[in-house]
Amino acid sequence: MFSGQPFKTKVPLSVANMYAALYGGQPTVQGIKLLQDLKLGQYIKIPPRVNFIVQILGCIVGAILNYVMMLSIIDSQREALLSIAGTRLWSGQNA
């Protein structure tokens, strides 16, 4: 993977760098955290297969809960997120 903009495209350089950091950094951090959980599972004598299945189930449940929370926040705070001023807590100004 090449970070930045190695080829001539219509994507701005800042967006290309953002995607390079996203796809390069987050999988590394996630992999390290999963390996730390596997190591802890070995210390407390949990079979690796069970530990791996629980990790995968946790990732799936976490993704579903994250999506549901996003939808509920967008539905309940739509006016504040779309307005320029926003509120003290919800503002779409920085997006």
Side-chain angles (χ1 to χ4, degrees), residues 42-61:
Q42 282 184 341
Y43 286 154
I44 58 176
K45 303 207 186 306
I46 295 175
R49 183 173 293 175
V50 173
N51 198 356
F52 179 74
I53 291 171
V54 170
Q55 284 179 337
I56 295 301
L57 289 175
C59 289
I60 292 169
V61 169

